Structure formats: structure tokens, C-alpha cells
């Protein structure tokens, strides 16, 4: 193939400006679509032969040419040429190199516009399946940790202030719920990704007697796109994926923030494994939680990609515009980032060791059972607002006395509330009594946590 070959060169009388060539090229980043591009081309050639547009032996030569190109790329022996602009034209040019005239017939009834939309959907569908597998692993690892800790007590927080005692298992299950919804969103997004654009050609369809259903079946698409203009131009499926990815990153970022806090000397709730941390070049005592910090940090780029794609699309008239070439890098980077983040979180959650004593002590020091005392007074017939007030004064007193609530005497407790307080109050003032009593669907009691874990195992679909 001569250096100045351009599949679209016919109408041009001067060579492309060197700068314009590289400015308009996408091959440096879209070459990762090669597998899906070749799959799509093989399905297209098979269909063209079935409807009689290609002769059987032409189909055979095209398909085997495409297969050897796939192997060349796999083996790193393929030369990508920027002057050939993108992955599609690089592969087509090589096909013509290998098969001669017959290779020029592959593009019959097709355009790069429906080709690239097809490639991208195939690529994203595989990426979603891979991400779902990783999400499933993380979901299971959360349950494995939770299973160890249905009774482990820690403080639950609101406003990052100790609020009420909870079980560590219950806390972990909160992250499980968020991630399970993310997984459902991925599944839902996949349904709209898995629609075939091929056959739309440049924008208006083709004059050849194509059979799009056949192509859809070969490529595993659930449906054929109904409208050719829409199919070649909209990238809402990529935007939707980035929105789902952003929500997932949002969850992973919040969770990472918690891991960073909990791993600090001040909290010391968990110990992260050495192999997931790094040291400081100047402070020898440091063991930094770089992995969760980076998960938190990488969230910004995925949010940014969502905004980039929304902005990319917002002013495009129908149908295809070259703007859409800019869809790839944000999409690819979102996929790559999310994949690594799921791997990182799975490793972290699997290996983190909770410091049970520190968690318990923090719950105990924070008057976490104050609400339990108020509820107790209500059961002794005190209106809740009065009980709230009485417990507030009790806590203030305990702070002065440097005692925890369960260290107060019956007399001290009665002084701030009612004579009706009896020995049974100490059952509710203990951390164990407190969590045990929140024993309803969705509550933090060990019994509920065990039941929730059993249900959760069955709710994982991926
Ligand atoms: N590289 C192009 C893209 O990513 C392929 C489609 C080009 N189509 C065109 N009419 N120039 O969008």
C-alpha cells in the first residue's frame, strides 16, 4: 500500500496537511477497538455473502484476511499508521494489502459511522461484563467481612460525631447495598448499549439488500437500532455508562474516605495491610493509605469524563459529526479507572483488619447509648421531649464526673429523670443491649445482620 493511500482519497487533489493529519487522527487511542472492529467486519462480510452481495469465496478470503490481521495485532506485528487516521482504515488498508481487490469489497453497504458506533457498543458491552464480574467479587468480599462481624460493636456516626452503637457487620452491609444498586444500574445500562447500529451506513441506510437481524444475531445484540440517523450519531449509551461509573466512583470515594480516617492514629479502627500502603521518604514512622486516597482522587477524572461527554454531545445536529471521535478517550479512561478501583477496593476490604477494641472503646466513650436511655424513659411513661431533655442533663453531668452512662448509679440516673428508673436500665445502657434491641428488618442487631447477610448472598446476580 502506497504511503499516500487514503480510502477516501478519490475526490482530493492535494495531500492532507501533516498537522491536520495528526489532528484528525484517532488511531493512537482507538486501536484498542481492533478486536471488536474485526468481529463486526466478519459479521458484516458473512451477512453480505448470505444476501448475495459477496460471493462465497470472496467472503472466505475477506474473513481469513481479517483473522490474520487480528493475529498480527495480537502478536504486536501490526504497523499502525497515523496517515490512515483510525483503527477502521488501518485494518481495511491492511486487508486490501493482504487480499487485493476483494478486500475493497468489505466496506460495501457500510460506513465508518455505523462501524464505529457498532465497535464502541461491542467494546462497552464487554467492558460492562468485565466490570460486573469484578463488582460481584467485591460484593462477596464485603459479605465475607460482614460475616465475621455481626456482633462487633462500633460507634455509628452522624455529622462524624458518635451517634449510636452499631455493629460493624451492619456498617459493611450499607456499602453492600450501594454497590448492589450500582451493579443493577450497570445491568440496566447494558440493555441500552446492546443495540446494533450497523446497517445505518453513513446516516440514511444503504441501497443493498442487507439483513441486519443476521448481523445482530451473530454479534449477540438484543435488538437492531430502529432509526439510522439516531444509531450513527447519539452517544447517550456512553454518557449513561459514565453516569453509572460516576455514581460507583462516588460510592467508592466515600468509602475510601472512611478507610483513610479509620486507618489514622486518631481513629485506629482498622489496619490496612502493608502491601496496600506506602511509606514516606522523610518520615520513617509513616504508613500511608495511598490506595484508598487514590481511589478518592481518581473519582474526579471519572466525574470529569461524564461532563466531557455531555458537553461533547450537547450542540451536535443530526447525524454523525466528527466531534464524536472525542467520545473514546473519556469512555476508555472511565472503564479503566473503574476496573482498577474495583480491584483495589476488593483487595482492601478483603485484607483490612478491624481493631475491635478501639471500635468498642470509641462507642463507649461517646455516650452512644444516650438515645437508648431516652427510649427507656419513654417506656417508663415520660414524654419523649422530656426524656430527651433529662438525658441531655444526665450526659452533661456524666461528662463532668468523667463517667460513662453505664457507670452512673441508679440514684444519679434518677436525679435527672424519674424515680421509676430501676436496675433494668443497665441493660439498655450497655452497648450490646443497645444494638440487640434494634431488632427489626434493616436494623443493626446481630440477629438482623446475620439474616441480612444470608439474603444478600442470594441477591448477588453477577
Ligand atoms: N474515527 C472516527 C470516529 O471515531 C470514525 C468515524 C469517521 N467517520 C467520518 N465520517 N469521518 O468517530
Amino acid at each position: 500500500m502506497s504511503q499516500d493511500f487514503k480510502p477516501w482519497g478519490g475526490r482530493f487533489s492535494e495531500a492532507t496537511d501533516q498537522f491536520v493529519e495528526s489532528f484528525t487522527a484517532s488511531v493512537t487511542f482507538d486501536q484498542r477497538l481492533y478486536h471488536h472492529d474485526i468481529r463486526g467486519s466478519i459479521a458484516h462480510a458473512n451477512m453480505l455473502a448470505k444476501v448475495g452481495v459477496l460471493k462465497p469465496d470472496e467472503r472466505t478470503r475477506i474473513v481469513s484476511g481479517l483473522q490474520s490481521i487480528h493475529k498480527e495485532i495480537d502478536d504486536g506485528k501490526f504497523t499502525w499508521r497515523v496517515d490512515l487516521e483510525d483503527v477502521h482504515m488501518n485494518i481495511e488498508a491492511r486487508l486490501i494489502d493482504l487480499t487485493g481487490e476483494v478486500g475493497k469489497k468489505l466496506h460495501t453497504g457500510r460506513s465508518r459511522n455505523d462501524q464505529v458506533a457498532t465497535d464502541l457498543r461491542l467494546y462497552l458491552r464487554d467492558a460492562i461484563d468485565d466490570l460486573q464480574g469484578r463488582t460481584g467479587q467485591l460484593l462477596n468480599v464485603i459479605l465475607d467481612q460482614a460475616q465475621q462481624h455481626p456482633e462487633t460493636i462500633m460507634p455509628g456516626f452522624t455529622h462524624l460525631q458518635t451517634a449510636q452503637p452499631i455493629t460493624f457487620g451492619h456498617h459493611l452491609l450499607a456499602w453492600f447495598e450501594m454497590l448492589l444498586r450500582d451493579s443493577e444500574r450497570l445491568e440496566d445500562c447494558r440493555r441500552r448499549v446492546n443495540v446494533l447500529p450497523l446497517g445505518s451506513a453513513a446516516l440514511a441506510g444503504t441501497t443493498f439488500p442487507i439483513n441486519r437481524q443476521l448481523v445482530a444475531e451473530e454479534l449477540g445484540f438484543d435488538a437492531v437500532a430502529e432509526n439510522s440517523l439516531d444509531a450513527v450519531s447519539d452517544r447517550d449509551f456512553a454518557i449513561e455508562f459514565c453516569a453509572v461509573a460516576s455514581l460507583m466512583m462516588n460510592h467508592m470515594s466515600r468509602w475510601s474516605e472512611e478507610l483513610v480516617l479509620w486507618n489514622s492514629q486518631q481513629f485506629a479502627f482498622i489496619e490496612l495491610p502493608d502491601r496496600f500502603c506506602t511509606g514516606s521518604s522523610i518520615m520513617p514512622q509513616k504508613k500511608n493509605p495511598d490506595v484508598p486516597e487514590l481511589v478518592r482522587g481518581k473519582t474526579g477524572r471519572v466525574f470529569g469524563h461524564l461532563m466531557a461527554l455531555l458537553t461533547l454531545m450537547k450542540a451536535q445536529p443530526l447525524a454523525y459529526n466528527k466531534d464524536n471521535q472525542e467520545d473514546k478517550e473519556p469512555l476508555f479512561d472511565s472503564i479503566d479507572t473503574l476496573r482498577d478501583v474495583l480491584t483495589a477496593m476488593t483487595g482492601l476490604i478483603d485484607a483490612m483488619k478491624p481493631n475491635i477494641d478501639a471500635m468498642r472503646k470509641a462507642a463507649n466513650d461517646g455516650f452512644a447509648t444516650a438515645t437508648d436511655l431516652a427510649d427507656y424513659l419513654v417506656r417508663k411513661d415520660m414524654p419523649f421531649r422530656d426524656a430527651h431533655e433529662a438525658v441531655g442533663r444526665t450526659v452533661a453531668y456524666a461528662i463532668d464526673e468523667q463517667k460513662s452512662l453505664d457507670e452512673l448509679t441508679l440514684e444519679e440516673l434518677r436525679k435527672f429523670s424519674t424515680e421509676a428508673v430501676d436496675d433494668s436500665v443497665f441493660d439498655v445502657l450497655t452497648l450490646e443491649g443497645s444494638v440487640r434491641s434494634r431488632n427489626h428488618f434493616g436494623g443493626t442487631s446481630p440477629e438482623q445482620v446475620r439474616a441480612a447477610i444470608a439474603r444478600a448472598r442470594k441477591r448477588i446476580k453477577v
Side-chain angles (χ1 to χ4, degrees):
M1 187 67 47
S2 73
Q3 270 310 109
D4 54 9
F5 167 84
K6 293 263 194 270
W8 41 255
R11 98 173 289 293
F12 286 74
S13 55
E14 63 172 356
T16 320
D17 182 278
Q18 280 260 300
F19 165 75
V20 171
E21 196 159 88
S22 68
F23 185 72
T24 53
S26 54
V27 67
T28 49
F29 52 83
D30 69 11
Q31 54 183 263
R32 72 154 87 186
L33 293 172
Y34 78 93
H35 168 75
H36 300 91
D37 190 71
I38 289 174
R39 255 192 95 182
S41 288
I42 290 176
H44 181 65
N46 287 342
M47 182 277 290
L48 289 180
K50 284 224 175 77
V51 302
V53 172
L54 284 180
K55 296 186 195 73
D57 76 297
E58 290 174 331
R59 184 207 73 90
T60 311
R61 282 157 59 206
I62 287 174
V63 170
S64 74
L66 288 168
Q67 284 164 341
S68 46
I69 293 170
H70 196 293
K71 183 150 178 10
E72 283 177 13
I73 302 172
D74 279 347
D75 296 346
K77 297 204 176 106
F78 189 90
T79 312
W80 296 102
R81 283 170 42 186
V82 173
D83 58 306
L84 289 175
E85 208 174 308
D86 57 24
V87 60
H88 323 292
M89 293 205 293
N90 267 269
I91 290 173
E92 188 185 355
R94 181 67 184 139
L95 182 69
I96 296 167
D97 250 357
L98 288 175
T99 63
E101 289 302 302
V102 67
K104 297 183 183 168
K105 294 191 170 187
L106 170 63
H107 213 50
T108 312
R110 182 176 80 166
S111 150
R112 276 185 296 153
N113 297 353
D114 58 346
Q115 188 179 356
V116 69
T118 303
D119 293 3
L120 212 56
R121 284 172 182 267
L122 282 174
Y123 183 90
L124 181 54
R125 185 182 74 191
D126 280 354
I128 289 175
D129 291 346
D130 172 70
L131 292 169
Q132 284 286 29
R134 290 168 200 271
T135 304
Q137 283 175 13
L138 178 51
L139 286 166
N140 275 303
V141 160
I142 299 173
L143 295 185
D144 294 343
Q145 268 285 4
Q147 199 133 20
Q148 313 280 315
H149 299 288
E151 320 219 357
T152 303
I153 303 238
M154 62 174 283
F157 299 95
T158 59
H159 314 270
L160 202 59
Q161 312 275 317
T162 298
Q164 291 171 351
I166 56 172
T167 50
F168 182 45
H170 191 58
H171 187 99
L172 287 166
L173 288 179
W175 294 117
F176 175 91
E177 289 301 322
M178 289 177 246
L179 191 59
L180 191 68
R181 286 196 297 277
D182 290 331
S183 165
E184 289 167 4
R185 270 185 282 268
L186 268 180
E187 188 187 337
D188 199 45
C189 170
R190 189 190 192 278
R191 292 197 296 117
R192 279 175 291 279
V193 169
N194 204 24
V195 177
L196 174 77
L198 207 64
S200 303
L203 75 163
T206 173
T207 56
F208 295 96
I210 55 170
N211 184 336
R212 300 180 67 200
Q213 198 53 47
L214 274 182
V215 179
E217 275 160 30
E218 176 165 345
L219 295 176
F221 283 107
D222 296 329
V224 176
E226 292 270 351
N227 182 285
S228 61
L229 300 174
D230 168 45
V232 292
S233 62
D234 203 5
R235 295 292 183 265
D236 60 353
F237 66 93
I239 299 176
E240 185 176 347
F241 171 80
C242 286
V244 173
S246 292
L247 270 173
M248 287 184 92
M249 290 298 298
N250 198 40
H251 289 150
M252 297 302 117
S253 179
R254 291 180 64 195
W255 200 2
S256 292
E257 164 70 3
E258 220 170 64
L259 298 180
V260 171
L261 282 172
W262 289 8
N263 186 63
S264 68
Q265 285 87 348
Q266 285 69 24
F267 272 83
F269 281 6
I270 51 166
E271 172 96 33
L272 295 177
D274 281 4
R275 64 180 190 282
F276 272 82
C277 296
T278 60
S280 155
S281 53
I282 178 166
M283 297 167 283
Q285 85 281 12
K286 293 291 286 288
K287 179 177 148 186
N288 296 328
D290 293 37
V291 175
E293 286 175 89
L294 269 175
V295 170
R296 194 176 60 189
K298 282 176 186 290
T299 301
R301 63 204 278 165
V302 177
F303 290 5
H305 295 327
L306 170 62
M307 203 43 67
L309 289 187
L310 284 166
T311 312
L312 175 68
M313 206 72 239
K314 74 177 272 290
Q316 286 193 49
L318 286 177
Y320 176 86
N321 302 283
K322 185 79 165 180
D323 311 42
N324 276 347
Q325 183 163 288
E326 287 289 308
D327 61 3
K328 289 170 199 63
E329 288 162 294
L331 179 65
F332 293 159
D333 190 65
S334 300
I335 294 168
D336 294 348
T337 305
L338 188 54
R339 188 207 308 113
D340 288 352
V341 160
L342 287 168
T343 304
M345 292 305 282
T346 304
L348 281 170
I349 300 309
D350 183 41
M352 74 174 175
K353 295 254 176 300
N355 182 348
I356 294 173
D357 295 338
M359 285 180 171
R360 191 173 204 297
K361 185 170 181 323
N364 216 26
D365 290 350
F367 300 98
T369 56
T371 317
D372 298 84
L373 178 56
D375 288 355
Y376 173 90
L377 296 175
V378 169
R379 287 195 294 275
K380 294 288 178 197
D381 224 24
M382 218 185 217
F384 181 76
R385 279 291 151 234
D386 293 345
H388 187 283
E389 165 78 19
V391 175
R393 285 188 288 117
T394 314
V395 167
Y397 172 81
I399 291 173
D400 281 349
E401 297 293 309
Q402 296 189 348
K403 287 180 173 177
S404 65
L405 285 178
D406 62 346
E407 284 166 353
L408 297 177
T409 63
L410 213 46
E411 221 153 77
E412 288 171 313
L413 287 166
R414 281 180 181 149
K415 192 162 75 192
F416 295 102
S417 51
T418 147
E419 286 302 310
V421 174
D422 58 40
D423 268 341
S424 63
V425 73
F426 295 108
D427 294 340
V428 309
L429 291 184
T430 64
L431 298 170
E432 283 71 17
S434 169
V435 294
R436 213 184 310 117
S437 61
R438 286 172 169 74
N439 193 25
H440 53 75
F441 189 96
T444 193
S445 75
E447 189 185 324
Q448 292 297 333
V449 169
R450 288 199 179 91
I453 293 169
R455 288 195 302 275
R457 292 269 183 214
K458 295 190 205 124
R459 292 165 65 210
I460 303 176
K461 299 271 162 18
V462 288

